[in-house]
């Protein structure tokens, strides 16, 4: 696994956007991947609580919650510092 700094991630996202994959699509893909990961790791559960921050990862939480909700899960999203920007 490679770790990147926030600045490096911004550069990678900007490059990806210029290559034709929009920020909205990146968020959708990240949120879907998160939802799939949660499903595979929480096989016995149908309940999820998402704690969303104010950055882009907070937006990913909302997408993941949406996919778990579509799958019939009971989901809640808490955003203690406000909605993502």
């Amino acid at each position: 696994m490679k770790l990147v700094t926030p600045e490096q991630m911004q550069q990678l996202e900007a490059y990806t956007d210029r290559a034709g994959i929009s920020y909205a699509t990146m968020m959708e893909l990240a949120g879907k991947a998160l939802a799939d990961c949660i499903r595979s790791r929480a096989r016995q559960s149908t309940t999820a609580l998402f704690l969303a921050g104010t950055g882009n990862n907070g937006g990913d939480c909302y997408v993941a919650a949406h996919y778990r909700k579509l799958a019939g899960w009971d989901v809640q999203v808490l955003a203690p510092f406000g909605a993502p920007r």
Side-chain angles (χ1 to χ4, degrees), residues 13-85:
E13 288 174 341
Y15 173 80
T16 303
D17 182 59
R18 286 191 306 273
I21 300 173
S22 70
Y23 287 95
T25 298
M26 286 184 260
M27 187 173 294
E28 181 73 18
L29 293 171
K32 175 80 166 73
L34 176 59
D36 291 345
C37 181
I38 291 168
R39 178 189 38 83
S40 71
R41 293 177 185 259
R43 292 187 180 124
Q44 303 300 318
S45 182
T46 58
T47 303
L49 171 63
F50 293 86
L51 298 174
T54 58
N56 289 342
N57 289 341
D60 299 344
C61 281
Y62 282 91
V63 174
H66 170 74
Y67 278 106
R68 291 294 85 223
K69 184 76 169 173
L70 288 177
W73 283 37
D74 177 28
V75 299
Q76 290 186 359
V77 179
L78 295 180
F81 303 107
R85 295 183 291 279

